């Protein structure tokens, strides 16, 4: 099974930046689209960004377009999320998704999740 470990979260002021990392290890059966979701207290886990298996295409939730950038290094099985111009509403636990599929216009994770990394943005 592929194991995912996120890092890079923390506490920042509004307008600040963070870069999250997701490192995948273990057996990989096939190339996969990977990405990030987030979950705030009392809310459902929501899609943030996705990147295709070899980095050819990226996708973003409307709420983060222009502020967040997803990238990956295939040789390291590592996915990054650069977050700029952070807002208090970005506060959430951010999770790495191991295999994403687009179904009826929605991104779903058919494989592993990481344990999450906390991002807190203060006013």
């Amino acid at each position: 099974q592929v194991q995912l470990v996120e890092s890079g979260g923390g506490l920042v002021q509004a307008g600040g930046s963070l870069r999250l990392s997701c490192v995948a290890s273990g057996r990989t059966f096939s190339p996969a689209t990977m990405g990030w979701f987030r979950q705030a207290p009392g809310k459902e886990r929501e899609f943030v960004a996705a990147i295709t298996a070899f980095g050819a295409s990226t996708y973003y939730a409307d709420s983060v377009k222009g502020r967040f950038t997803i990238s990956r290094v295939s040789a390291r099985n590592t996915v990054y999320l650069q977050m700029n111009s952070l807002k208090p509403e970005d506060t959430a636990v951010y999770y790495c998704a191991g295999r994403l599929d687009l179904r009826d216009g929605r991104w779903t994770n058919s494989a592993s999740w990481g344990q999450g990394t906390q991002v807190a943005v203060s006013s």
Side-chain angles (χ1 to χ4, degrees):
Q1 296 280 6
V2 175
Q3 294 180 315
L4 306 172
V5 179
E6 302 98 334
S7 63
L11 174 63
V12 298
Q13 291 185 313
S17 298
L18 287 171
R19 189 178 77 157
L20 307 184
S21 298
C22 170
V23 179
S25 61
R27 186 172 181 84
T28 301
F29 292 94
S30 63
T33 296
M34 297 178 64
W36 295 88
F37 282 63
R38 66 187 182 186
Q39 187 166 25
K43 301 181 68 176
E44 67 178 11
R45 192 170 297 187
E46 66 175 354
F47 169 77
V48 175
I51 185 165
T52 53
F54 298 100
S57 300
T58 58
Y59 306 87
Y60 299 94
D62 288 341
S63 59
V64 306
K65 286 181 179 177
R67 300 188 298 119
F68 291 9
T69 302
I70 188 170
S71 61
R72 70 187 298 164
V73 180
S74 296
R76 290 278 312 279
N77 294 316
T78 301
V79 178
Y80 301 100
L81 185 68
Q82 178 66 46
M83 305 185 296
N84 298 325
S85 302
L86 283 163
K87 305 174 181 179
E89 48 264 49
D90 295 318
T91 296
V93 177
Y94 284 70
Y95 297 91
C96 184
R99 190 176 188 92
L100 291 177
D101 298 290
L102 186 61
R103 302 175 182 173
D104 296 324
R106 295 185 178 184
W107 289 101
T108 60
N109 185 25
S110 62
S112 301
W113 294 100
Q115 292 300 305
T117 185
Q118 176 71 58
V119 172
V121 184
S122 62
S123 300

